[in-house]
């Protein structure tokens, strides 16, 4: 079986498991159990391989817990960030799941033990609460302990039967792919709520390439509204690992999604000391002020959400917002995220941010913020995308690319709204579409109906309007009409109508004469 076939079969099986096991439980509510079980299996196998250290004579899963010395445990936690005893490994728990009458409480104890193993170590913050949403006592699993155990055992067995092969680089990739596949399917089926925490991979790929374009290395990459971490991980997937020197940083407001992002990092083999995901409101309680600036920033923040804005008089003096001299409207926080990202961006870096299109042409405070961005030459490119690329919304969004190292004062506008492939529920960007966008982004060439670089003076004279449609003329695909030929045809039709009318009048006159 080829790797492509193996991936497809794995994805088919894991989605079948997810649907079969959940029963009447809503898939969105049940996602934590499937995703959490996949994560539990991954860290168990990852940990066992680390302990065995390539020694075929050691099979960690068959060892007795009592042989584990404090020194072994201490060393393992310092390296891996957590500890799992042999009896706590996924394989051992899954093997006896069907006959374990205390499965739900045993799992709860194991998850708690894994989390608390990191207490007092540098990894404590990254491990704490990882399994918080895997509630083994929840009535979503069933009304009785027996019902809960039956469903938990079914999830464990289903995930245990998935064939990932030997635990090597390709095995790890399969785990990460399976996790991303599950998240994307849950997002696709959850409507708006799903779209809030997951950026489709094809769009993530474009955003990551824009942010890291022509950077031979970046100190670190940051997403101020990271969701499940998909944007950050696209940067890892599509660039040499050594390109990102100091790791991945993100902040997320939703607690469940914050846990998914941390799991996602581990599942893509990003060790605890190479990522820092924090929980909280980026606009009001931003983290990583001591870690900035960042050479690459990627973000798909929530569109037009409400925020405190001018109701907090201290925000206008915040280093992130003060330079613009105005705050984003309270009913539309879009530009607050943009200004936040800009303030965290290094002098050599780029930020690629998905934005709601209305912020590029509306007046008021948003116009003043656009003026600040343009006057200070921060806007490198504005790229309009096709509609229906994201889960939960059909709107055609725009990517704003910010830079602090532009060599001229022009702003590039790219109309990529025609680049997509129609699929069942959503449009998608193909690799060829991304290559086409990146080629013109790189060259800054003017291409009829596709890309145009506009001088500062023209943007300023146009009220700092940054809508792509204001500068890139759409292609007129209407059929060309020959006016002379059309007029001749109309004249011919009118003449023919007159002839027919004369003939009809004659026939009517004859009929009336016969009746008389």
């Amino acid at each position: 079986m080829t790797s492509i076939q193996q991936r497809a079969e794995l994805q088919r099986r894991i989605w079948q498991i997810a649907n079969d096991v959940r029963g009447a439980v809503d898939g969105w509510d049940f996602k934590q159990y499937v995703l959490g079980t996949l994560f539990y299996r991954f860290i168990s196998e990852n940990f066992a391989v680390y302990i065995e250290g390539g020694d075929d004579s050691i099979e960690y899963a068959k060892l007795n817990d009592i042989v584990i010395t404090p020194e072994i445990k201490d060393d393992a936690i310092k390296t891996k960030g957590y500890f799992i005893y042999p009896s706590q490994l996924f394989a051992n728990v899954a093997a006896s799941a069907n006959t374990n009458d205390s499965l739900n409480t045993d799992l709860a104890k194991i998850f708690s033990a894994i989390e608390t193993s990191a207490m007092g170590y540098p990894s404590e913050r990254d491990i704490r609460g990882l399994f918080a949403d895997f509630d083994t006592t929840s009535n979503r699993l069933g009304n009785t302990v027996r019902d809960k155990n039956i469903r938990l055992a079914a999830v464990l067995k289903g995930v245990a039967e998935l064939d990932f092969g030997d635990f090597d680089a390709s095995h790890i990739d399969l785990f990460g792919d399976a996790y991303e596949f599950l998240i994307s399917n849950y997002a696709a089926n959850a409507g708006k709520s799903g779209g809030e925490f997951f950026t489709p991979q094809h769009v993530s790929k474009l955003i990551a390439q824009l942010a890291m374009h022509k950077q031979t290395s970046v100190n670190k990459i940051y997403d101020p509204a990271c969701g499940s971490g998909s944007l950050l991980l696209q940067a890892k997937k599509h660039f040499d690992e050594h390109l990102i020197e100091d790791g991945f940083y993100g902040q997320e407001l939703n607690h469940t999604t914050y846990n998914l992002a941390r799991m996602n990092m581990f599942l893509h083999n990003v060790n605890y000391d190479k990522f820092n995901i924090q929980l909280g409101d980026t606009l009001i309680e931003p983290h990583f002020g001591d870690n900035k600036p960042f050479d690459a920033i990627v973000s798909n923040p929530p569109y037009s959400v409400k925020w405190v804005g001018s109701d907090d008089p201290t925000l206008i003096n915040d280093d992130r917002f003060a330079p613009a001299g105005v705050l984003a409207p309270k009913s539309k926080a879009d530009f607050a995220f943009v200004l936040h990202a800009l303030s965290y961006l290094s002098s050599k870096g780029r930020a690629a941010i998905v934005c709601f299109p209305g912020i590029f042409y509306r007046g008021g405070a948003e116009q003043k913020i656009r003026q600040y961005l343009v006057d200070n030459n921060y806007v490198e490119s504005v790229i309009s995308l096709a509609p229906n690329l994201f889960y939960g919304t059909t709107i055609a969004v725009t990517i704003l690319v910010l830079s602090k190292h532009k060599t001229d004062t022009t702003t590039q506008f790219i109309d990529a709204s025609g680049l997509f492939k129609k699929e069942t529920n959503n449009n998608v960007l193909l690799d060829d579409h991304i290559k086409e966008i990146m080629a013109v982004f790189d060259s800054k060439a003017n291409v009829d109906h596709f890309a145009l670089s506009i001088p500062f003076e023209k943007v300023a004279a146009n009220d700092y309007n940054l809508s792509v449609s204001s500068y890139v003329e759409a292609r007129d695909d209407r059929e060309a009409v020959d006016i002379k030929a059309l007029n001749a045809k109309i004249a011919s039709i009118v003449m023919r109508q007159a002839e027919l009318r004369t003939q009809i009048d004659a026939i009517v006159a004859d009929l009336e004469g016969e009746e008389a």
Side-chain angles (χ1 to χ4, degrees):
M1 183 183 291
T2 67
S3 60
I4 294 175
Q5 290 173 323
Q6 186 182 14
R7 277 173 165 76
E9 176 61 19
L10 269 173
Q11 291 172 356
R12 185 193 68 78
R13 282 285 299 124
I14 199 166
W15 191 240
Q16 181 182 347
I17 292 166
N19 284 320
D20 289 349
V21 174
R22 71 179 175 87
V25 183
D26 182 82
W28 184 248
D29 292 334
F30 198 67
K31 69 181 184 301
Q32 279 79 249
Y33 298 103
V34 181
L35 291 166
T37 301
L38 187 67
F39 174 70
Y40 175 34
R41 176 178 167 179
F42 175 83
I43 63 170
S44 291
E45 295 184 15
N46 193 330
F47 189 82
V49 167
Y50 165 74
I51 293 291
E52 291 164 3
D55 187 341
D56 293 337
S57 67
I58 301 174
E59 191 170 350
Y60 186 63
K62 292 185 178 180
L63 295 180
N64 193 304
D65 289 358
I66 62 173
V67 305
I68 306 300
T69 66
E71 291 76 19
I72 292 174
K73 184 176 181 180
D74 180 68
D75 182 68
I77 298 172
K78 288 176 179 175
T79 302
K80 301 301 293 182
Y82 59 91
F83 191 86
I84 305 178
Y85 281 99
S87 64
Q88 299 170 335
L89 291 172
F90 171 85
N92 288 330
V93 175
S96 61
N98 286 335
T99 58
N100 185 354
D101 293 334
S102 58
L103 178 62
N104 69 323
T105 54
D106 284 351
L107 280 173
K109 291 175 182 176
I110 289 170
F111 296 157
S112 176
I114 293 172
E115 290 183 12
T116 55
S117 71
M119 288 182 63
Y121 289 85
S123 60
E124 179 178 353
R125 179 190 58 203
D126 302 303
I127 304 297
R128 184 193 304 123
L130 271 175
F131 291 99
D133 296 299
F134 200 119
D135 184 359
T136 63
T137 64
S138 171
N139 286 335
R140 290 172 179 167
L141 294 170
N143 293 321
T144 67
V145 170
R146 181 175 180 275
D147 290 341
K148 291 178 175 63
N149 287 339
I150 289 173
R151 183 159 280 159
L152 285 169
V155 177
L156 288 168
K157 285 293 185 182
V159 172
E161 290 169 1
L162 294 172
D163 181 13
F164 289 102
D166 296 329
F167 199 91
D168 54 18
S170 60
H171 176 100
I172 292 170
D173 286 344
L174 286 173
F175 260 110
D177 286 349
Y179 194 81
E180 288 278 329
F181 170 80
L182 274 174
I183 289 180
S184 66
N185 271 29
Y186 281 125
N189 286 275
K192 183 178 180 181
S193 56
E196 289 176 352
F197 84 99
F198 184 76
T199 304
Q201 285 192 17
H202 50 97
V203 183
S204 297
K205 187 186 297 187
L206 171 62
I207 295 168
Q209 290 187 27
L210 287 166
M212 300 180 70
H213 181 62
K214 282 192 172 177
Q215 297 201 67
T216 55
S217 67
V218 298
N219 59 354
K220 42 193 175 279
I221 187 167
Y222 168 58
D223 186 344
C226 69
S228 60
S230 58
L231 268 172
L232 290 171
L233 288 166
Q234 279 300 319
K236 176 182 184 295
K237 189 171 186 178
H238 293 283
F239 296 91
D240 184 271
E241 289 186 34
H242 298 294
L243 188 67
I244 303 169
E245 297 168 352
D246 299 321
F248 306 81
Y249 292 74
Q251 185 165 343
E252 171 55 36
L253 178 62
N254 180 281
H255 193 279
T256 296
T257 312
Y258 157 70
N259 286 335
L260 291 180
R262 292 188 295 160
M263 287 184 183
N264 210 0
M265 290 291 157
F266 280 110
L267 275 156
H268 284 82
N269 213 32
V270 180
N271 207 36
Y272 76 92
D273 57 346
K274 285 297 183 182
F275 75 83
N276 191 341
I277 307 294
Q278 294 287 342
L279 178 67
D281 186 333
T282 294
L283 300 182
I284 305 303
E285 299 174 321
H287 289 275
F288 311 122
D290 293 335
N291 299 101
K292 66 179 184 180
F294 295 87
D295 290 342
I297 297 177
V298 291
S299 189
N300 179 17
Y303 309 142
S304 300
V305 294
K306 296 179 180 179
W307 76 307
V308 63
S310 58
D311 284 345
D312 182 348
T314 66
L315 285 175
I316 194 59
N317 296 316
D318 190 299
D319 290 344
R320 299 169 295 164
F321 312 126
V326 64
L327 297 171
K330 290 187 294 183
S331 60
K332 303 175 184 68
D334 308 73
F335 265 129
F337 284 104
V338 170
L339 291 173
H340 170 88
L342 180 67
S343 73
Y344 275 47
L345 185 63
S346 75
S347 59
K348 60 166 279 193
R350 281 192 181 90
I353 308 165
V354 180
C355 299
F356 184 80
I359 71 170
F360 293 102
Y361 59 79
R362 291 191 294 243
E366 292 177 317
Q367 181 188 28
K368 292 178 182 177
I369 295 172
R370 292 197 305 272
Q371 179 176 349
Y372 162 72
L373 295 174
V374 174
D375 283 354
N376 286 276
N377 205 29
Y378 292 138
V379 182
E380 181 173 5
S381 293
V382 184
I383 306 168
S384 62
L385 299 181
N388 203 29
L389 290 173
F390 292 79
Y391 302 120
T393 180
T394 60
I395 63 171
V397 301
T398 300
I399 298 177
L400 176 64
V401 182
L402 300 176
S403 170
K404 292 182 177 179
H405 60 272
K406 289 173 62 182
T407 57
D408 59 36
T409 59
T410 63
T411 299
Q412 182 190 44
F413 295 88
I414 301 174
D415 182 0
S417 59
L419 299 181
F420 66 92
K421 178 187 177 185
K422 178 67 178 174
E423 292 200 342
T424 306
N425 297 317
N426 284 83
N427 295 328
V428 297
L429 281 174
L430 301 179
D431 285 347
D432 285 345
H433 298 147
I434 295 173
K435 288 178 182 176
E436 190 172 347
I437 294 169
M438 290 306 302
V440 78
F441 174 76
D442 174 54
S443 69
K444 297 295 187 288
N446 292 334
V447 181
D448 289 348
H449 313 296
F450 184 54
L452 192 63
S453 291
I454 302 296
F456 162 79
E457 294 80 10
K458 187 173 181 180
V459 176
N462 195 23
D463 295 327
Y464 295 93
N465 187 318
L466 292 176
S467 292
V468 173
S469 59
S470 295
Y471 303 98
V472 181
E473 183 181 358
R475 187 184 303 278
D476 189 349
D477 292 324
R478 294 175 298 179
E479 184 179 353
V481 177
D482 187 330
I483 299 298
K484 289 184 178 180
L486 180 62
N487 286 335
K489 187 174 183 179
I490 292 172
S492 174
I493 292 171
V494 171
M495 185 181 297
R496 180 59 179 156
Q497 285 178 330
E499 292 174 355
L500 290 171
R501 190 174 291 112
T502 300
Q503 292 173 8
I504 292 170
D505 288 344
I507 292 170
V508 171
D510 288 345
L511 291 172
E512 289 176 343
E514 291 176 3
E515 290 177 359

